[in-house]
Amino acid sequence: MATGAQFGGPPPTPPAGDAGNNFLSSLLDVPLDAEGAKRVNEGAQQFKALAEGGGFAINEAGFQHYQKVCDTFINGYDDMRNDLYILGHAAQMGGSDYANQVANFNVKVAAGDPESLVPNLELLSDGFKKVREALEIARKNYRETEDAHSQTFAKLRGSE
């Protein structure tokens, strides 16, 4: 079953139980461009759907590790928001045509179109938030599975 939960071209069909691991291991191996940001966001959506469907579970230690990665990006992005807002406005570089062209070019690179820095950072931030939500669900899946196994073993021990 191809889940698309990893990056870099069409996803291969992962062995059962590996789709979540493949996505997580490739989470930070994405270039910061429009296509990379799109792949992270789409992969995060699929990763969350995988967890919601019970196709991925994670123990507490794994959750803590990946949560830290997600929170580092999300918090760093939130801290940069004001600086990014400033980049979206033309700097005062003088009154010449060339100075205005440079200032306008800088705005375009920062926030002027879907290929620019700010929209792609927003897309990445959204993706990391979805991954974070998926991890919460996957941790819940793991706990529920562990609880079910514990109850089964308790019943088996009680019937001996």
Side-chain angles (χ1 to χ4, degrees):
M1 152 175 125
T3 64
Q6 73 179 41
F7 303 118
T13 302
D18 284 351
N21 288 335
N22 290 343
F23 175 80
L24 290 172
S25 67
S26 65
L27 186 59
L28 297 179
D29 189 24
V30 178
L32 183 58
D33 61 8
E35 287 305 311
K38 236 183 254 183
R39 284 192 309 269
V40 168
N41 196 278
E42 290 169 359
Q45 290 173 354
Q46 293 168 352
F47 183 61
K48 185 176 176 186
L50 181 68
E52 288 172 335
F56 181 63
I58 191 166
N59 66 15
E60 188 64 31
F63 172 82
Q64 294 295 326
H65 174 74
Y66 289 113
Q67 173 192 27
K68 185 176 179 181
V69 171
C70 291
D71 289 349
T72 297
F73 183 89
I74 293 166
N75 294 336
Y77 175 76
D78 289 345
D79 291 345
M80 289 188 299
R81 271 207 171 119
N82 188 45
D83 294 335
L84 294 172
Y85 175 78
I86 292 168
L87 289 175
H89 295 83
Q92 299 297 319
M93 301 181 77
S96 73
D97 285 341
Y98 181 72
N100 287 329
Q101 287 175 0
V102 170
N104 290 332
F105 176 77
N106 289 343
V107 169
K108 183 178 179 193
V109 168
D113 62 35
E115 301 292 319
S116 62
L117 178 65
V118 173
N120 287 302
L121 283 174
E122 289 173 357
L123 197 57
L124 284 171
S125 179
D126 182 56
F128 274 91
K129 288 175 184 174
K130 286 180 182 128
V131 169
R132 180 77 161 70
E133 292 169 9
L135 290 168
E136 293 278 350
I137 295 165
R139 179 175 63 172
K140 180 178 174 253
N141 292 345
Y142 183 85
R143 288 177 177 167
E144 289 173 355
T145 300
E146 286 296 302
D147 288 346
H149 290 166
S150 294
Q151 290 174 11
T152 300
F153 288 131
K155 287 178 185 175
L156 289 173
R157 281 188 296 244
S159 65
E160 292 180 6

